Amino acid sequence: MSYQLLDAMSAEVAYRAEQLRKAGRDARMTKQSRPVRWLRTHRLTNIDVPVQEHRTAEPIASRAGHLAR
């Protein structure tokens, strides 16, 4: 077996092991966050949002009159 093939195989094994670790972390995190997700959807989303006010832009007084004096 050549050293290049051995290096390629060890790199592939390391990559797949890291992917499995990431998948395991994600699976654990979703199980832990289920109660938090339930609380967020059922408790924290019952917020009354005030009605948006319609405002018009007020014209800005020109400063040219102040400079001309």
Side-chain angles (χ1 to χ4, degrees):
M1 190 180 283
S2 69
Y3 289 113
Q4 290 177 337
L5 183 59
L6 184 61
D7 287 343
M9 286 176 52
S10 62
E12 181 71 21
V13 168
Y15 172 77
R16 289 181 186 244
E18 181 62 29
Q19 293 300 316
L20 286 173
R21 270 188 242 115
K22 284 182 182 178
R25 275 194 303 255
D26 291 343
R28 283 192 307 273
M29 290 302 290
T30 56
K31 287 180 185 175
Q32 291 173 352
S33 65
R34 283 183 187 157
V36 174
R37 259 189 291 157
W38 186 88
L39 282 172
R40 284 181 183 159
T41 56
H42 290 87
R43 302 282 185 222
L44 300 177
T45 55
N46 295 331
I47 299 171
D48 295 330
V49 178
V51 178
Q52 185 176 3
E53 299 174 8
H54 180 72
R55 295 184 278 179
T56 58
E58 297 177 7
I60 299 173
S62 175
R63 296 186 194 183
H66 298 288
L67 297 175
R69 291 184 194 174

